Amino acid sequence: MKDRRLTGIQLEAYAQFLRREERAAATVEKYLRDAGAFAAWLEGGAVTREAAAGWREHLLAEGLSPVTVNAKLSAVNGLFRFLGWEELRVKFLKVQRRAFRDAARELSRQEYTRLLEAARALGKTQTELLLETICATGIRVSEVRYITVEAAARGRAEVALKGKIRTILLPSRLCRKLLKYAKKQKTVSGEIFLSENGTGISRCRIWREMKRLCQAAGVEPSKVFPHNLRHLFASAFYRATGDIVKLADVLGHSSINTTRIYLLTTGAEHARCLERLGLVS
């Protein structure tokens, strides 16, 4: 078999490929970090299928969860695919599909309301509106930049990511609040959520501002991050419509299996369902 080695040039080319594919900046960073960790583990050794499988076992020995290990393997397999080394791709660990979500990371509607109230009490108008915008539309944090003055005026935002364009409908009440905020900030066009220097607000800034509300809101920090607002939207949408196909379209998922993950109930809800079965005398 041909002797294959990983180089910094190959990793940089992989990064450029991921960016051309319009992967989110955080995804590119994670894939490069994981691919770089694999390269460092090899210590200059040849890249073989056995070596890739050995890295998988090393990650398990480090105490990482199977889900985390598979996420890292996905990055390396993507690198192999990019380099044309398909035969080196390593098999993922088999993980049984979960029946329910971890309650410690489940953000309830009541907790969401407390976060809004805390933001309002602290005078964090932008943060409050950001929370409402993400939760009321189900957009990804990377899609916040598509919430523009023009979109609020139309009542819809056109999101273009990963080679796909989808239309996000904005609730009329949200549009009024967005336009009122933009007017107050003297923003006449373009992105509504801006930093102090006039550039689009970063995902790190959004994450940090959300975390700052936790203590005042009395909500565990482990539950407070932008993607959990997207989960809350998905749960509310499904309860209101019962239409998982439509929900997949709204969320921009190409597979309903991905959407299903968003609809997992908590362990407590699962336990109550079992109790209602009445199968124990």
Side-chain angles (χ1 to χ4, degrees), residues 60-227:
L60 279 173
E62 290 285 300
L64 298 180
S65 70
V67 171
T68 300
V69 171
N70 282 346
K72 292 180 180 295
L73 293 179
S74 179
V76 171
N77 281 343
L79 173 63
F80 290 163
R81 189 181 305 112
F82 166 71
L83 294 173
W85 300 351
E86 292 278 354
E87 71 278 10
L88 301 185
R89 293 174 63 193
V90 62
K91 290 184 178 179
F92 292 114
L93 298 170
K94 291 184 178 180
V95 181
Q96 182 177 350
R97 181 177 289 176
R98 294 182 63 184
F100 48 84
R101 294 188 71 197
D102 182 359
R105 291 175 63 83
E106 181 81 9
L107 182 69
S108 69
R109 185 185 287 264
Q110 293 74 22
E111 289 167 329
Y112 164 66
T113 299
R114 294 209 303 271
L115 288 169
L116 293 179
E117 291 171 347
R120 196 173 306 127
L122 294 170
K124 302 276 189 181
T125 305
Q126 186 187 70
T127 303
E128 179 189 358
L129 191 53
L130 264 168
L131 290 170
E132 288 187 310
T133 300
I134 296 173
C135 200
T137 61
I139 60 173
R140 301 176 177 91
V141 67
S142 60
E143 296 170 342
V144 166
R145 69 180 186 271
Y146 293 100
I147 304 301
T148 62
V149 173
E150 293 80 3
R154 289 193 306 266
R156 62 183 63 203
E158 302 295 329
V159 174
L161 280 178
K162 301 179 181 179
K164 296 186 294 185
I165 298 176
R166 78 182 197 281
T167 300
I168 301 296
L169 297 180
L170 308 177
S172 58
R173 184 174 175 82
L174 176 64
C175 289
R176 290 194 294 271
K177 295 183 75 170
L178 288 167
L179 291 172
K180 181 179 179 181
Y181 174 77
K183 184 177 180 180
K184 186 176 180 180
Q185 300 300 119
K186 295 182 172 54
T187 303
V188 296
S189 65
E191 293 182 52
I192 290 177
F193 295 107
L194 302 171
S195 62
E196 292 82 355
N197 60 11
T199 60
I201 190 169
S202 70
R203 68 170 64 216
C204 292
R205 168 76 175 272
I206 296 172
W207 184 90
R208 188 168 60 248
E209 291 298 324
M210 287 181 64
K211 292 292 184 182
R212 286 174 176 167
L213 299 175
C214 295
Q215 185 173 358
V219 180
E220 287 296 322
S222 62
K223 298 182 177 185
V224 182
F225 50 93
H227 206 69

